[in-house]
């Protein structure tokens, strides 16, 4: 398996623009996580899904952020409109089953909002 | 919000020495995991210890868990330059929620 695949790897956008980050989890994994990593705030859990259903989105910072998982093989994280303080590395991770196993991380998307 | 807090925030040791880092957490957990992150890369899972376990070994790694103190430690024995990375603890809670701490930056000098 190719692992968790995120795209794009790098994104530079202007303030106010819409940004969509994409994630393909490992086939057969039931849980999917979106994290944001910054120097100031560390690694924050934004939202996670079990079996395509959002379970906890309490980490989503604002209504400008939204995430979807239309099927077991694809998820998106959208920021609209983007702001400079959204600049960070966004990681997607997937896990094969609930409560017993490790998470596998993608390589991340480095987002820069100017 | 972060569930786990690592201590120390940074650690510098000589190759061959042992590295110990600690993690404290606040709420009940199903398991506690340790991950490594090399600069600019995604996190890689190292070891998982369940809430009913007290100690676990994997190669040069030793993890302990004290649920009464809500703390865990990661020991890397006989460190190598390749162990230079950031290390994170993560707590696994009900519903498979996985929350990370702030990390410990480890520098192993050759």
């Amino acid at each position: 398996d190719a692992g968790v695949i995120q795209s794009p790897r790098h994104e530079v956008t202007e303030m106010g623009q819409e940004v969509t980050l994409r994630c393909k989890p490992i086939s057969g994994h039931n849980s999917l996580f979106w994290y944001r990593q910054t120097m100031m705030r560390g690694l924050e859990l934004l939202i996670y899904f079990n079996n395509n259903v959002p379970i906890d989105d309490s980490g989503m910072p604002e209504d400008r952020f939204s995430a979807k998982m239309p099927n077991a093989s694809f998820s998106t994280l959208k920021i609209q409109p983007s702001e400079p303080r959204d600049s960070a590395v966004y990681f997607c991770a997937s896990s094969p089953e609930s409560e017993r196993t490790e998470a596998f991380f993608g390589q991340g998307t480095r987002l820069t909002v100017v | 919000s972060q569930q786990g807090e690592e201590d120390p925030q940074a650690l510098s040791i000589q190759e061959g020495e042992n590295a110990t880092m600690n993690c404290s957490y606040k709420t009940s957990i199903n398991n506690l995991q340790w991950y490594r992150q090399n600069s600019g890369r995604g996190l890689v899972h190292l070891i998982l210890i369940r809430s009913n376990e007290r100690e676990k070994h994997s190669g040069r790694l030793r993890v302990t868990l004290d649920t009464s103190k809500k703390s865990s430690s990661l020991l890397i024995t006989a460190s190598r330059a390749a162990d230079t990375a950031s290390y994170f603890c993560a707590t696994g809670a009900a519903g498979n929620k996985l929350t990370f701490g702030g990390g410990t930056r480890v520098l192993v000098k050759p």
Side-chain angles (χ1 to χ4, degrees), chain B residues 51-110:
Chain B
S51 59
N52 60 354
E53 297 176 310
R54 292 296 168 257
E55 186 171 316
K56 202 161 184 179
H57 297 255
S58 176
R60 294 184 295 113
L61 305 179
R62 173 177 171 259
V63 169
T64 64
L65 178 64
D66 188 336
T67 53
S68 66
K69 295 182 179 178
K70 290 186 167 57
S71 67
S72 173
S73 68
L74 171 66
L75 168 68
I76 305 172
T77 60
S79 62
R80 305 166 182 169
D83 295 329
T84 294
S86 292
Y87 292 82
F88 294 85
C89 70
T91 52
N96 206 27
K97 184 173 184 175
L98 191 62
T99 310
F100 284 80
T104 294
R105 296 188 311 279
V106 175
L107 172 63
V108 182
K109 295 178 282 187

Side-chain angles (χ1 to χ4, degrees), chain A residues 55-68:
Chain A
I55 302 301
D56 186 339
D57 66 354
S58 59
M60 297 286 262
E62 299 174 32
D63 291 345
R64 298 183 297 106
F65 286 69
S66 62
K68 294 182 180 179

